[in-house]
Amino acid sequence: KADTVPGDGLAHFRHGDSIHNDEWQTAQQSWKDIAHLFQNYKSKCVWMPFYYDGKCADYVRDLGFKNVIHTNEDFFELIKNKGFMANVDFIW
């Protein structure tokens, strides 16, 4: 069931922990729901390039992903850095 969320006059709808309009960060429960699909990457270098407030890295570290890069840097600049990208196994 989707409930209307009061706010700025735009059409926002809440379904669980997500607001369907302009979602900027994946909810912790969503990471839990899909983490098993990526378990082969738990010991690999995981890059989470879209920062928002940085909490997503904590969420996936809590799920056993140990080598997580999650910094507030420009995605489009970092992908130009061949040395950096050579160390990344998974972009999530």
Side-chain angles (χ1 to χ4, degrees), residues 59-79:
Y59 298 158
V60 298
R61 285 183 188 115
D62 288 346
L63 295 169
F65 295 85
K66 302 298 180 201
N67 188 9
V68 179
I69 300 171
H70 190 53
T71 56
N72 193 9
E73 297 181 61
D74 187 333
F75 167 84
F76 297 101
E77 290 301 315
L78 279 176
I79 60 170

Side-chain angles (χ1 to χ4, degrees), residues 4-52:
T4 302
V5 177
D8 58 12
L10 299 175
H12 294 284
F13 296 96
R14 183 176 296 280
H15 181 74
D17 289 333
S18 294
I19 295 176
H20 298 282
N21 182 9
D22 199 5
E23 189 71 27
W24 288 84
Q25 178 163 282
T26 304
Q28 186 174 16
Q29 184 59 48
S30 298
W31 293 114
K32 289 178 183 177
D33 290 344
I34 64 171
H36 70 279
L37 299 171
F38 306 104
Q39 64 185 357
N40 292 341
Y41 291 95
K42 284 188 174 184
S43 63
K44 306 275 185 180
C45 181
V46 177
W47 179 33
M48 301 178 75
F50 302 106
Y51 191 76
Y52 188 60

Side-chain angles (χ1 to χ4, degrees), residues 73 75-88:
E73 297 181 61
F75 167 84
F76 297 101
E77 290 301 315
L78 279 176
I79 60 170
K80 295 177 191 176
N81 182 332
K82 291 181 182 183
F84 173 78
M85 292 304 297
N87 293 312
V88 173

